């Protein structure tokens, strides 16, 4: 039994390393779209074994859905790249469509919550963060075409609406995080129109906060809202960490998640892009509503004396202390922007 567990861990680390190696150099650094296609295929083929290492019905279904969608996106990408010389006007929109499909951006988001629902939390972290890097780099290159900026803005608006409305009635935490990722994708797509540095900054903030939440869910082994409420009864420290994470993910000031949104809002106002801004802000309010649905429970139903009297040094492991330090650091990070 220990041999199987050790073998599974080694296999998981191997495929994770292979999955990360395709960023050095990234597939977008290739001089041709054929090289880009090869890099994306290597990325896909290294992520699928991560899903199917522990084979069961849910992992198999998620792996099959992910493979079919990514294969369809790769087909569109290689077909549109071959059309560059013959149909220069039609090829860039098809390339952008294939990247939207691989990214899980609206209106091609239908697969993302379904795949996310069948993954473990470590796999969900990779799908929500690392798997988005290469398509977004390629979209940033395509944003140099003025005709494609309207399509990117339209996809951002649809992603904002879909991510906000899709997470309202779900009780599954993985599906909720999937729709949250779709909503944040709208902000990142609009950030691409500014500069590479800007969307990378937003992506780093989003990845840090989302990964922190999912790591906590992995430690607690919670997959539904009812599981999350039960964990609050035994570990009062979660009443501090979980609300701070969700409020930061929702972009509520003065939490860390508000910083990149604030920067993007300022740019959209200065550029007179009021229509996308209205949709982004409206969707942010809706997502904040179903984040508050979780945080209010912790604030109202937790005994304050439990938090005051808890003894971290005797009760919690090093990983939990490290996670608490990270969350408190992220909470205090906006103060640096006020003093410096």
């Amino acid at each position: 039994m220990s041999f199987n567990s050790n073998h599974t861990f080694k296999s998981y680390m191997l495929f994770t390393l292979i999955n990360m190696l395709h960023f050095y150099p990234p597939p977008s650094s290739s001089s041709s779209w054929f090289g880009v296609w090869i890099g994306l295929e290597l990325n896909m083929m290294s992520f699928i074994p991560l899903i199917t290492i522990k084979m069961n019905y849910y992992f198999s279904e998620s792996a099959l859905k992910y493979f079919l969608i990514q294969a369809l996106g790769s087909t569109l990408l290689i077909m549109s790249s071959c059309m560059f010389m013959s149909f220069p006007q039609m090829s860039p929109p098809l390339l952008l469509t294939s990247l939207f499909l691989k990214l899980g951006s609206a209106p091609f988001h239908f697969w993302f919550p379904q795949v996310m629902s069948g993954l473990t939390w470590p796999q969900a972290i990779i799908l929500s963060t690392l798997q988005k890097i290469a398509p977004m780099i390629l979209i940033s290159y395509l944003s140099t075409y003025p005709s494609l900026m309207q399509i990117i803005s339209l996809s951002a608006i649809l992603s904002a609406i879909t991510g906000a409305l899709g997470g309202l009635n779900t009780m599954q935490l993985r599906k909720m995080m999937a729709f949250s990722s779709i909503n944040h994708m709208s902000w990142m797509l609009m950030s691409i129109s500014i500069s590479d540095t800007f969307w990378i900054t937003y992506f780093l903030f989003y990845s840090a906060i989302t990964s922190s939440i999912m790591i906590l869910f992995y430690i607690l082994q919670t997959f539904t809202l009812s599981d999350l409420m039960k964990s609050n009864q035994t570990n009062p420290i979660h009443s501090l960490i979980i609300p701070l994470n969700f409020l930061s993910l929702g972009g509520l000031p003065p939490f860390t998640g508000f910083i990149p949104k604030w920067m993007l809002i300022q740019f959209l106002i200065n550029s007179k892009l009021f229509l996308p801004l209205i949709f982004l802000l409206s969707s942010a309010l809706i997502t904040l509503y179903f984040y508050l649905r979780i945080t209010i429970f912790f604030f109202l139903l937790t005994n304050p004396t439990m938090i005051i009297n808890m003894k971290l040094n005797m009760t919690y492991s090093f990983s939990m202390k490290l996670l608490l330090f990270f969350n408190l650091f992220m909470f205090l990070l906006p103060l640096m922007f006020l003093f410096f």
Side-chain angles (χ1 to χ4, degrees):
M1 187 67 180
S2 60
F3 173 77
N4 291 334
S5 301
N6 189 29
H7 179 71
T8 300
F9 177 76
K10 290 181 178 179
S11 300
Y12 199 92
M13 294 302 297
L14 174 63
F15 286 115
T16 302
L17 179 62
I18 296 175
N19 183 268
M20 297 178 64
L21 283 178
H22 83 283
F23 299 115
Y24 305 100
S28 54
S29 65
S30 175
S31 59
S32 67
W33 284 103
F34 181 75
V36 168
W37 172 73
I38 293 178
L40 293 174
E41 291 301 294
L42 291 175
N43 177 33
M44 178 189 69
M45 297 308 295
S46 62
F47 181 64
I48 290 178
L50 292 177
I51 306 176
T52 57
I53 283 179
K54 293 184 178 180
M55 184 62 66
N56 60 37
Y57 173 78
Y58 297 104
F59 291 166
S60 301
E61 183 181 0
S62 296
L64 181 60
K65 289 178 180 178
Y66 183 80
F67 172 76
L68 292 176
I69 291 298
Q70 296 298 316
L72 178 59
S74 298
T75 303
L76 286 176
L77 188 143
I78 198 67
M79 181 186 69
S80 57
S81 62
C82 293
M83 296 168 54
F84 243 117
M85 298 301 294
S86 302
F87 304 95
Q89 300 298 325
M90 187 183 302
S91 180
L94 282 178
L95 276 172
L96 190 61
T97 301
S98 67
L99 296 175
F100 283 156
L101 185 61
K102 283 182 167 293
L103 196 59
S105 176
F108 308 104
H109 65 280
F110 52 90
W111 64 272
F112 195 82
Q114 299 179 20
V115 172
M116 181 83 85
S117 298
L119 302 180
T120 62
W121 285 118
Q123 297 164 357
I125 293 175
I126 296 176
L127 182 64
S128 300
T129 56
L130 292 180
Q131 296 300 104
K132 294 181 180 294
I133 295 178
M136 291 192 66
I137 292 176
L138 298 174
I139 291 176
S140 68
Y141 288 170
L142 290 176
S143 64
T144 56
Y145 291 85
S147 60
L148 298 183
M149 287 307 302
Q150 296 180 352
I151 302 178
I152 295 176
S153 299
L154 178 60
S155 179
I157 292 174
L158 293 177
S159 297
I161 298 173
T162 302
L165 299 180
L168 280 177
N169 296 322
T170 179
M171 302 294 291
Q172 301 291 328
L173 292 177
R174 285 172 294 186
K175 189 171 290 187
M176 181 185 298
M177 296 303 296
F179 283 110
S180 173
S181 178
I182 294 173
N183 180 262
H184 280 276
M185 184 55 55
S186 64
W187 293 82
M188 283 184 275
L189 288 176
M190 291 304 301
S191 301
I192 288 177
S193 62
I194 303 176
S195 66
D196 291 339
T197 304
F198 193 90
W199 77 259
I200 291 174
T201 302
Y202 192 104
F203 178 80
L204 292 176
F205 275 85
Y206 159 77
S207 299
I209 300 171
T210 300
S211 299
S212 177
I213 294 177
M214 292 186 181
I215 290 173
L216 184 60
F217 289 161
Y218 175 69
I219 294 174
L220 301 177
Q221 286 300 300
T222 57
F223 299 98
T224 63
L225 287 179
S226 59
D227 295 337
L228 191 60
M229 303 314 173
K230 292 177 183 177
S231 67
N232 177 54
Q233 300 175 3
T234 57
N235 294 284
I237 195 174
H238 302 154
S239 303
L240 176 64
I241 298 179
I242 295 175
L244 291 183
N245 275 276
F246 275 109
L247 293 177
S248 182
L249 187 64
L252 187 70
F255 294 91
T256 307
F258 175 69
I259 296 175
K261 289 186 177 182
W262 185 19
M263 297 167 61
L264 181 60
I265 290 171
Q266 292 290 330
F267 176 81
L268 293 177
I269 292 176
N270 294 334
S271 302
K272 301 184 185 301
L273 298 174
F274 298 112
L275 181 62
L277 180 60
I278 291 174
F279 282 100
L280 292 180
L281 292 179
S282 301
S283 68
L285 292 176
I286 298 175
T287 55
L288 192 59
Y289 165 76
F290 61 78
Y291 293 149
L292 287 174
R293 185 177 61 181
I294 301 175
T295 58
I296 286 178
F297 171 85
F298 289 96
F299 287 142
L300 296 182
L301 300 184
T302 301
N303 186 359
T305 59
M306 296 175 62
I307 302 178
I308 296 175
N309 297 326
M310 61 185 177
K311 298 179 180 180
L312 297 179
N313 294 329
M314 300 177 59
T315 307
Y316 299 100
S317 62
F318 174 77
S319 60
M320 185 61 73
K321 295 176 187 177
L322 186 62
L323 185 61
L324 177 62
F325 172 78
F326 172 76
N327 284 277
L328 292 178
F329 171 75
M330 295 299 289
F331 172 67
L332 297 175
L333 186 60
L335 297 179
M336 300 179 185
F337 289 82
L338 298 179
F339 294 106
F340 298 101

